[in-house]
Amino acid sequence: MKENINNILEKISLACKNSNRDKKEIFLLPVSKTVDVDKIQEAIDLGFYTFGENKVQEILKKYEYFDGKVKFHMIGHLQTNKVKSIIDKVELIHSLDRISLLDKLELEAKNKGITVNCLVEVNIGKEDSKLGIFEEDVLDFIREVSKRDNVLVNGLMTVAPYCEDAEDTRIYFKKMKSLFDEISKLKLKNVDMKILSMGMSNDFMVAIEEGSNLIRIGTSIFGARNYGVLSN
């Protein structure tokens, strides 16, 4: 794992050099979905304290196991009936993508007397197989979020269409950065555009070159997934 991480850090440095950016701007989020707690502990020992998860059940198990000593981001689809169980256990929700989820987050956050930090998920490639808001609808959605008191938008997230050649994803990342900048200029209430989450194992270098400051890396850190039973 240490070798894997060092390889990723070298690529981050190269992508930043290519785009005249400071590598300190880039947050590397290890995606630990289906990864057992021993491997997560190994990553913790290597200096990581925040992990991305796709499933509420996994967050709850791992949150309890680590007794709140590490932070979790919810990066997968979030069902409204699962909001209450994790709203105070995640640092950031990457997948705010519909009004019904916004309403539920606002209700549960208000009940707990907290604010919840979210990224608006954008389906930048308009793919039927992916969730997220279409590019042309994002501004109206964020204006709706800005009317709420307990839900804060921290930025945008996307999963670009998979391309054999990562260079072919560049057009999508450029669109995301343009949208990110456009929203930033509006200075809306409860909207603080500080995170642009885009780029995964196959395309993160291009994403960084186009403005991403949070990359989500799973397989390239932890190796091939084991979809069996989690360790306790």
Side-chain angles (χ1 to χ4, degrees), residues 7 24 29 111 155:
N7 182 47
K24 293 178 182 178
L29 179 69
N111 286 342

Side-chain angles (χ1 to χ4, degrees), residues 3 5-16 204-205:
E3 183 179 344
I5 291 170
N6 286 339
N7 182 47
I8 293 165
L9 294 177
E10 287 178 8
K11 289 181 177 180
I12 290 172
S13 294
L14 179 57
C16 287
F204 71 86
M205 289 185 68

Side-chain angles (χ1 to χ4, degrees), residues 3 10 27-28 35 41 55 64 70 78 84-85 91 107 112 115 126-127 142 151 153 163 180 190 204 223 226:
E3 183 179 344
E10 287 178 8
F27 187 86
L28 171 56
V35 171
Q41 184 60 57
K55 303 289 186 183
E64 182 179 2
V70 297
L78 180 56
K84 186 175 183 178
S85 62
E91 182 182 42
L107 174 65
K112 288 184 180 290
T115 55
K126 295 187 176 179
E127 296 177 275
I142 286 183
V151 178
V153 171
C163 301
F180 179 88
N190 293 330
F204 71 86
N226 174 12

